[in-house]
Amino acid sequence: MKSEKSVIVVGDKFQGFSDKHDDIVTLGQLEKMIWEAQELPIDRIVVGQGVCHQRLSGLQTIMQRRFTDSPPRIVNYEQIADQLDPALRQVTHKHHAQNILISAPRRASEHCYESKLAIHDATELLGDHMTGQHIQGMVLTEAGRQMMLAVAELFMLDAHERGRFYFILNKVATTYHRFAFPIETDAKLTVLAAERKRGNALHAEVRVDFAQQEEALAEAHISFAAYDKDLIARKEHELALTRVARMAHASPSYS
């Protein structure tokens, strides 16, 4: 029986990773292969990091047309399926879909929620700092922050409060254990503590664990508070007025 030929497709920003491994191709390399090959020597395409949903979806259509007898199967597609979901942009507090780093979280148990790392090649965090084969550590820290926001909006706030609260970070501490490579990556958020305080503000502490093939990569501990937007907007404006007034009337600190 013929064995399946599989490749992992990653974004073009991860070419330094694909160049080192025969079973890794960038999205651009896959596009070239599809257009130039008479027969595609691939049976199975696994979605890695940096993959744009729209580009891969377009390639899937082309493969089905060009290789009608046996187009490659795409697995792990759910990792990037949420890229076009406007609801995910809302709960991660992002205007641009390419800057979202996670799939929509789902409840795994009473205090635990699961997601996938879902980096888009055009994300702002890959714009100007790519070295080696691994994902930069700050990407995981930001992914943890986004997962905290999404879980709080979807599961910790009441339905009528969603989108109406302002989140304030009190502490973010990330511990890194191993290099994270641009392949399938699991994220799990555990709520360590949560309570409502004066004014119905939500105060909570969470831990977000990242793993590849069940090996721990990093963990982000985040403590935060969520307040009514109008209350914080007034407080923020008062503090800004005070700070600007002090600066405007301060004596120069240089000679």
Side-chain angles (χ1 to χ4, degrees), residues 13-87:
K13 293 279 180 66
F14 293 110
Q15 186 169 347
F17 181 58
S18 70
D19 286 347
K20 302 289 186 181
H21 305 278
D22 293 337
D23 295 330
I24 308 290
V25 296
T26 66
L27 203 51
Q29 290 167 341
L30 180 62
E31 287 172 338
K32 184 177 180 181
M33 193 185 307
I34 290 169
W35 283 112
E36 294 181 353
Q38 296 301 314
E39 293 184 5
L40 201 60
I42 300 171
D43 302 302
R44 185 170 171 266
I45 296 172
V46 181
V47 178
Q49 300 300 325
V51 177
C52 170
H53 178 282
Q54 290 175 307
R55 282 179 70 186
L56 186 60
S57 178
L59 286 179
Q60 184 179 36
T61 300
I62 294 168
M63 287 189 292
Q64 291 170 344
R65 291 175 180 171
R66 290 210 65 204
F67 311 106
T68 54
D69 291 339
S70 56
R73 295 180 292 107
I74 299 177
V75 300
N76 197 26
Y77 208 97
E78 67 276 5
Q79 176 180 295
I80 57 173
D82 296 324
Q83 281 184 1
L84 303 181
D85 185 358

Side-chain angles (χ1 to χ4, degrees), residues 209-230:
D209 294 284
F210 296 95
Q212 289 179 344
Q213 299 161 350
E214 299 185 352
E215 288 190 348
L217 303 176
E219 57 188 64
H221 287 256
I222 305 172
S223 62
F224 68 95
Y227 300 88
D228 179 86
K229 275 185 176 181
D230 294 337

Side-chain angles (χ1 to χ4, degrees), residues 107 113 148 150-158 161-162 189 191 193-196 202-206 224:
R107 188 193 296 271
Y113 304 85
M148 173 273 290
V151 168
E153 290 275 20
L154 292 170
F155 302 103
M156 300 175 73
L157 295 177
D158 294 333
E161 296 173 325
R162 292 171 192 162
L189 182 147
V191 178
E195 63 176 323
R196 293 288 186 144
L202 170 66
H203 290 248
E205 181 181 355
V206 302
F224 68 95

Side-chain angles (χ1 to χ4, degrees), residues 239-251:
L239 291 172
L241 286 174
T242 301
R243 195 67 52 85
V244 170
R246 287 177 181 172
M247 179 62 71
H249 297 93
S251 300

Side-chain angles (χ1 to χ4, degrees), residues 68-238:
T68 54
D69 291 339
S70 56
R73 295 180 292 107
I74 299 177
V75 300
N76 197 26
Y77 208 97
E78 67 276 5
Q79 176 180 295
I80 57 173
D82 296 324
Q83 281 184 1
L84 303 181
D85 185 358
L88 187 58
R89 292 203 299 271
Q90 182 178 16
V91 298
T92 54
H93 300 186
K94 290 294 180 183
H95 292 294
H96 304 294
Q98 66 266 28
N99 291 328
I100 298 172
L101 300 174
I102 59 169
S103 65
R106 66 176 187 85
R107 188 193 296 271
S109 62
E110 183 179 1
H111 299 295
C112 291
Y113 304 85
E114 295 177 345
S115 181
K116 295 284 187 182
L117 192 67
I119 303 171
H120 191 293
D121 214 38
T123 182
E124 56 193 349
L125 292 177
L126 298 185
D128 195 29
H129 184 60
M130 289 296 296
T131 58
Q133 302 181 54
H134 67 282
I135 298 167
Q136 304 305 316
M138 288 306 298
V139 173
L140 297 184
T141 297
E142 169 60 12
R145 189 187 73 90
Q146 291 185 17
M147 194 168 181
M148 173 273 290
L149 289 169
V151 168
E153 290 275 20
L154 292 170
F155 302 103
M156 300 175 73
L157 295 177
D158 294 333
H160 71 277
E161 296 173 325
R162 292 171 192 162
R164 297 176 55 86
F165 272 47
Y166 192 103
F167 287 75
I168 295 177
L169 295 174
N170 295 317
K171 180 180 179 181
V172 180
T174 307
T175 303
Y176 302 97
H177 304 295
R178 293 178 176 85
F179 282 135
F181 297 107
I183 59 175
E184 182 177 3
T185 305
D186 298 311
K188 182 178 76 171
L189 182 147
T190 304
V191 178
L192 304 176
E195 63 176 323
R196 293 288 186 144
K197 293 191 175 181
R198 188 175 63 179
N200 209 29
L202 170 66
H203 290 248
E205 181 181 355
V206 302
R207 186 184 74 240
V208 184
D209 294 284
F210 296 95
Q212 289 179 344
Q213 299 161 350
E214 299 185 352
E215 288 190 348
L217 303 176
E219 57 188 64
H221 287 256
I222 305 172
S223 62
F224 68 95
Y227 300 88
D228 179 86
K229 275 185 176 181
D230 294 337
L231 173 65
I232 292 300
R234 291 194 300 271
K235 185 66 174 176
E236 181 183 44
H237 184 59
E238 290 170 4

